[in-house]
Amino acid sequence: IGDGAPAGSYGYANSGYSVYEEENERLTESLRTKVSAIKSLSIEIGTEVKNQNKMLSEMDNDFDSTGGLLGATMGRLRTLSRGSQTKLLCYMMLFALFVFFVIYWIIKLR
């Protein structure tokens, strides 16, 4: 364009466009850096989300198995409670007497 213009100025040295181009390049590089940082951050967030989903899935499986175990225990407890209350009370009294005699025997041996 301009024969006497220095290389890289594209003939805009006198018109002030080179200042705007330099500013544009600086802002473009700043934007490129920010976009790169956001990209790496979003990749890290995606990895963390995948890890958290895997952990939640494992917890869900654990809770399901625990729920099954608790359901079976509650079923046995219901079966036990359907028996006569007198029988249950008798078992509790025998257990209390057994514990009392064991404690008495331990104290007596000292």
Side-chain angles (χ1 to χ4, degrees):
I1 294 186
D3 291 332
S9 67
Y10 303 105
Y12 298 121
N14 294 335
S15 63
Y17 282 117
S18 65
V19 174
Y20 292 123
E21 285 180 14
E22 289 174 10
E23 180 72 15
N24 241 359
E25 288 297 321
R26 187 181 60 78
L27 290 174
T28 303
E29 187 59 36
S30 173
L31 185 62
R32 186 174 295 127
T33 304
K34 289 176 184 177
V35 167
S36 176
I38 290 173
K39 178 182 176 184
S40 65
L41 185 63
S42 65
I43 290 172
E44 289 176 12
I45 288 172
T47 304
E48 184 66 24
V49 166
K50 286 178 187 175
N51 290 338
Q52 293 293 326
N53 282 338
K54 181 181 174 186
M55 189 184 310
L56 283 174
S57 176
E58 291 171 359
M59 283 178 59
D60 187 38
N61 292 337
D62 290 344
F63 282 134
D64 283 344
S65 66
T66 304
L69 181 65
L70 185 60
T73 303
M74 290 302 291
R76 281 186 240 136
L77 192 61
R78 268 190 233 108
T79 303
L80 180 64
S81 69
R82 285 185 193 143
S84 71
Q85 298 297 326
T86 309
K87 189 177 179 181
L88 184 63
L89 186 61
C90 183
Y91 285 142
M92 288 178 60
M93 290 297 289
L94 285 173
F95 179 72
L97 268 164
F98 174 74
V99 170
F100 174 75
F101 281 122
V102 168
I103 292 174
Y104 177 75
W105 183 67
I106 290 173
I107 291 174
K108 192 75 165 173
L109 288 177
R110 282 189 167 184

